[in-house]
């Protein structure tokens, strides 16, 4: 076989993870972005427009790629700007599709037609310059490819090169065009407080489906993630195009099917109430919009994102250590924290093998309930007469590190901060300020407010250098988003500047206190996205800690986000919804993510403590697999009373099966469980925690596990088990 033939054959035999290349094919004015298993192709057409040409499985032969050519108009009602897949369309030139950029120029012109100017390739990054056909309004499209996962990151830098100020009315990160056709299906996540991460699946029809947040932050109600398949994909099969925005402020994804069978997903800043003035020379950078492709179904789409988040998004990347087992005081003591009580809990937590003790709300200001204190980030001396030092030292002496809850963006009207600076809360002059949980939102867009909050948190960390972790909460969304001190034309910048400044505080704190870790919490899972995840080490999944509800909450979460980031607590029963489940069931549910304990340990029996100690120890032996391995969702908790997840370690040496029987059905045994992702030729040693595996399998082949499968003895309501499979060397 000659070398020219051998290359493609070899490429088709071996997975391409790890290789990436961006090539410009000058003869046909197109760029071929190859990233791992994915190809993405863009071209400049005969009208000098940037045209989307291909997004899917990796292609190897540039010669197959035709030059871009626009599609003809469709009668007099859709010109070719509507029939041709546009990579980054401006609103203008008779385009009715969702634009990526919409502007008003100072002379009143609202027509924007972006044409190609130039490009640069720098390693894994391609930059394409576009400019309006008349005005010096430029856009730099930045594409970065990630070789290991095939994920592509898009963002746009918009530049006002004119001599006049202009106003942006929509600034999107980019649009992803799918292969032309119909019959696509959209999967997205929605929810509410204590009910986040619900999976929705529906056909894509002509018209536009919008998922968004207008609340100032990411939101419980919708998450900036999407997956689109051709209507038949399942966990293990089928083409899936998926993506996620890295932005924790107002965002929007519009999933559009044009009248010309073109499905496109446009995402970026939410254009709702958006107005962003750009002075001459000024720029605006959009949030990053990440997307990937697989022909291995929803399971593989999630595994790609999990790996991408762990290696490219989360702090520390591949070298980040596994998440520690955490205890949190909230459900045990709520606001009634004090030195003695917290020490008693800490002593018990340490006995269980907990590695991090976190004191939640109630330690600061006049914070005895949720009516007062937010904004006053000084230690409450009645509860902690000697400051936090003695508690932190005690926690450290037990072998745990110490974490603390804060809610920096908020203020209670009953606080010293609000009494001193009532104007620091977001408001419109002479209008009511709508309270939620008795609190208002600080206008973090103001630099003086931002600096004050940075200094308050920094002081806390300087005075208590052993604080290892902050749980950063945000317990309400915006209302009356006014910024009366800013010039009227700039007041709507608040939507963008707020989030930028929150990011800035986190970034500065992390730089100054490099060992500090942060959890993103917003009344549960209200602020989880790839923007916040790039500066936090974990997220609080939901305030709903009922283990049965959690199965579905965690499943939805896992579509988009890695189990490593998914903080999950074991709490007491009956839960807030009245449901009681056994302690082992609660542990095993929480052990499918980053394990925490949030129950009132003072009330745990000796038996509870003994079981918990065993579970924590077991978790430590499997956590690398759970947090950093590959997740296979074998049986969905949304589909029946039996559910199961399997995690396989990156090196393939360990697999862990979690199985749950939430209710017994007429006494039927659970279905046969076939495992995934194992080496068929390898032999695995089987270990059960409670002998719920039928038969006497001691060692078993991967082929048997993946084809014959195993039978479990899970009978009663809320039954559960865990089985590990260690590869025999
Ligand atoms: C939010 C969080 C909880 C807890 C409380 C404290 O609801 O999600 O975990 O920290 O605030 O007030």
């Amino acid at each position: 076989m000659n070398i020219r033939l051998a290359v493609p054959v070899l490429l088709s035999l071996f997975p391409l993870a790890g290789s990436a290349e961006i090539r410009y094919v000058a003869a046909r004015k197109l760029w071929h972005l190859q990233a791992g298993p994915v190809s993405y192709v863009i071209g400049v057409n005969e009208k000098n427009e940037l045209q989307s040409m291909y997004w899917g499985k990796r292609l190897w032969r540039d010669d197959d790629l035709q030059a871009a050519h626009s599609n003809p108009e469709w009668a007099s009602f859709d010109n070719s700007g509507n029939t041709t897949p546009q990579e980054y369309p401006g609103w203008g030139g008779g385009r009715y599709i969702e634009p990526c950029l919409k502007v008003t120029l100072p002379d009143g012109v609202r027509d924007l037609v972006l044409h190609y100017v130039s490009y640069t390739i720098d390693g894994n990054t391609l930059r394409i310059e576009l400019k309006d056909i008349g005005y010096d309004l430029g856009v730099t499209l930045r594409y970065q490819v990630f070789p290991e996962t095939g994920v592509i990151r898009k963002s746009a830098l918009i530049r006002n090169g004119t001599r006049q100020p202009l106003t942006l009315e929509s600034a999107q990160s980019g649009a992803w065009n799918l292969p032309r056709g119909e019959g696509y299906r959209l999967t997205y996540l929605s929810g509410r407080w204590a009910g986040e991460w619900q999976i929705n699946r529906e056909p894509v029809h002509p018209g536009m489906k919008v998922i968004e947040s207008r609340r100032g932050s990411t939101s419980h109600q919708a998450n900036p993630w999407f997956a689109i398949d051709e209507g038949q994909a399942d966990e293990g099969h089928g083409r899936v195009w998926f993506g996620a925005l890295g932005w924790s402020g107002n965002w929007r994804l519009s999933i559009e099917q044009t009248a010309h069978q073109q499905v496109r997903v446009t995402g970026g800043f939410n254009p709702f109430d958006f107005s962003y003035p750009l002075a001459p020379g000024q720029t605006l950078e959009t949030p990053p919009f990440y997307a990937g492709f697989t022909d291995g179904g929803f399971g593989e789409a999630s595994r790609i994102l999990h790996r991408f988040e762990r290696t490219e998004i989360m702090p520390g990347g591949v070298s980040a250590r596994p998440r520690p087992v955490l205890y949190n005081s909230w459900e045990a003591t709520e606001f009634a924290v004090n030195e003695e009580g917290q020490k008693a809990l800490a002593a018990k937590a340490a006995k269980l093998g907990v590695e991090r003790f976190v004191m939640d709300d109630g330690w600061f200001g006049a914070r005895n309930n949720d009516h007062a204190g937010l904004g006053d980030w000084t230690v409450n001396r009645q509860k902690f007469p000697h400051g936090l030092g003695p508690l932190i030292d005690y926690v450290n002496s037990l072998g745990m590190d110490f974490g603390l809850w804060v809610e920096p963006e908020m203020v209670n009207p009953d606080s010293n901060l609000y009494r001193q600076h009532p104007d620091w809360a977001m408001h419109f002059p002479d209008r009511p300020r709508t309270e939620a949980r008795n609190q208002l939102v600080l206008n973090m867009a103001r630099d003086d407010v931002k600096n004050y909050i940075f200094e308050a948190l920094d002081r806390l960390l300087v005075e208590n250098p052993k604080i290892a972790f902050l749980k950063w909460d945000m317990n309400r969304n915006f209302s009356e988003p006014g910024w009366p001190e800013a010039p009227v034309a700039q007041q709507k910048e608040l939507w963008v500047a707020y989030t930028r400044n929150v990011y800035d505080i986190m970034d500065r704190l992390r730089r100054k206190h490099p060992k500090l870790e942060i959890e993103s919490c917003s009344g549960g899972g209200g602020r989880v996205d790839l923007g916040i995840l790039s500066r936090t080490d974990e997220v609080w999944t939901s305030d709903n800690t009922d283990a049965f509800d959690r199965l579905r909450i965690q499943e939805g979460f896992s579509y988009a986000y890695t189990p490593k980031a998914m903080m999950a607590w074991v709490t007491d029963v009956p839960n807030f919804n009245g449901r009681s489940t056994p302690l082992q069931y609660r542990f095993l549910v929480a052990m499918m993510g980053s394990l925490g304990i949030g129950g009132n340990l003072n009330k745990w029996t000796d038996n509870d403590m003994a079981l918990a100690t065993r579970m924590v120890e077991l978790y430590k032996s499997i956590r690398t697999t759970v947090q950093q391995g590959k997740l296979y969702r074998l049986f969905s908790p949304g589909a029946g009373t039996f559910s199961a997840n399997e995690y396989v370690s990156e090196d393939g040496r360990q697999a862990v099966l979690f199985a749950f029987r939430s209710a017994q059905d007429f006494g039927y045994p659970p279905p046969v469980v076939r495992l995934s992702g194992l080496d068929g030729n390898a032999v695995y040693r089987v270990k059960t925690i409670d002998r719920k595996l039928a038969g006497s399998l001691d060692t078993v082949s991967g082929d048997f596990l993946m084809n014959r499968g195993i039978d479990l003895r899970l009978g009663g309501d809320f039954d559960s088990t865990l089985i590990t499979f260690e590869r025999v060397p």
Side-chain angles (χ1 to χ4, degrees), residues 324-614:
V325 177
L326 169 158
Y327 178 81
N328 179 292
S329 67
W330 174 244
E331 293 196 23
T333 46
E334 295 212 338
F335 300 96
V337 296
N338 58 40
E339 190 177 316
E340 208 183 322
Q342 294 298 298
K343 279 183 173 171
L345 284 171
K348 299 216 154 149
K351 282 203 188 119
L352 301 179
V354 165
E355 296 158 310
R356 169 170 290 166
F357 182 85
V358 182
M359 177 162 65
D360 210 278
D361 202 348
W363 59 269
F364 53 91
R367 187 76 169 165
N368 297 316
N369 50 49
D370 62 17
H371 287 260
L374 286 176
D376 299 338
W377 300 108
T378 47
V379 179
N380 181 312
R381 290 280 164 172
Q382 267 120 44
K383 298 177 181 179
F384 298 91
H386 312 289
L388 297 177
L391 173 62
I392 299 177
D393 289 345
Y394 182 68
V395 165
N396 289 166
S397 76
L398 295 168
M400 301 183 289
D401 71 20
F402 181 81
L404 195 62
W405 180 94
V406 288
E407 195 180 356
E409 299 148 78
M410 298 292 155
V411 66
N412 286 118
D414 184 1
S415 67
N416 293 336
L417 183 68
Y418 192 74
R419 282 183 280 274
Q420 278 159 25
H421 298 287
D423 54 318
W424 281 13
M426 241 173 232
H427 68 284
F428 290 114
D430 305 320
R431 303 282 304 168
R433 302 175 180 199
T434 304
E435 291 179 22
R437 208 195 191 203
N438 315 301
Q439 62 197 60
L440 297 170
V441 188
L442 289 173
N443 183 359
M444 301 295 287
R446 287 175 56 149
D447 281 340
D448 52 352
V449 177
K450 172 183 85 166
N451 290 334
Y452 176 88
I453 294 299
F454 170 79
E455 277 154 27
L457 294 173
D458 182 49
R459 195 172 322 115
L460 193 64
L461 296 170
V462 168
E463 283 169 8
N464 300 285
K466 297 219 175 99
I467 293 178
F469 170 84
L470 291 178
K471 173 178 170 185
W472 183 307
D473 212 335
M474 185 203 195
N475 272 313
R476 59 159 295 177
N477 297 133
F478 294 13
S479 61
E480 299 91 24
W483 186 358
E485 301 78 17
V488 173
Q490 281 172 19
Q491 291 185 3
K492 291 182 183 170
E493 273 183 41
L494 175 143
W495 293 115
V496 173
Y498 181 103
T499 301
R500 290 255 161 91
N501 282 353
V502 169
Y503 285 171
D504 183 60
I505 297 176
M506 288 185 176
D507 294 344
R508 276 157 75 195
L509 285 177
R510 292 193 80 116
R511 270 200 304 277
K512 193 158 170 215
H513 307 275
K515 290 199 181 130
L516 178 72
E517 295 192 337
I518 303 178
E519 173 181 296
S520 170
C521 172
S522 176
R527 188 154 61 185
V528 181
D529 59 80
L530 295 187
I532 207 80
L533 211 54
S534 68
R535 30 189 66 85
T536 53
D537 304 274
E538 63 190 41
V539 296
W540 182 222
T541 316
S542 175
D543 277 352
N544 184 340
T545 58
D546 166 55
F548 174 72
D549 281 357
R550 268 284 177 139
L551 283 175
R552 276 174 300 161
I553 285 177
Q554 295 183 177
E555 181 192 37
F557 181 99
S558 80
Y559 267 69
Y561 301 104
T562 167
K564 182 175 185 181
M566 186 179 76
M567 182 35 68
W569 301 346
V570 176
T571 57
D572 294 334
V573 288
N575 213 293
F576 84 112
N577 53 8
R579 189 181 284 121
S580 291
T581 56
L583 189 57
Q584 172 171 312
Y585 181 94
R586 281 177 270 152
F587 258 100
L588 292 185
V589 171
M591 283 160 65
M592 293 195 292
S594 182
L595 175 65
I597 297 173
N600 187 349
L601 300 181
N602 297 320
K603 295 196 182 148
W604 286 27
T605 65
D606 290 349
N607 280 345
D608 293 341
M609 293 292 282
L611 175 63
T613 309
R614 284 202 305 279

Side-chain angles (χ1 to χ4, degrees), residues 91 102-111 135 164-166 169:
W91 186 69
K102 181 177 184 312
V103 298
T104 295
L105 291 143
D107 53 11
V109 169
R110 304 193 315 281
D111 182 57
Y135 295 86
Q164 306 256 13
L166 55 81
E169 277 134 14

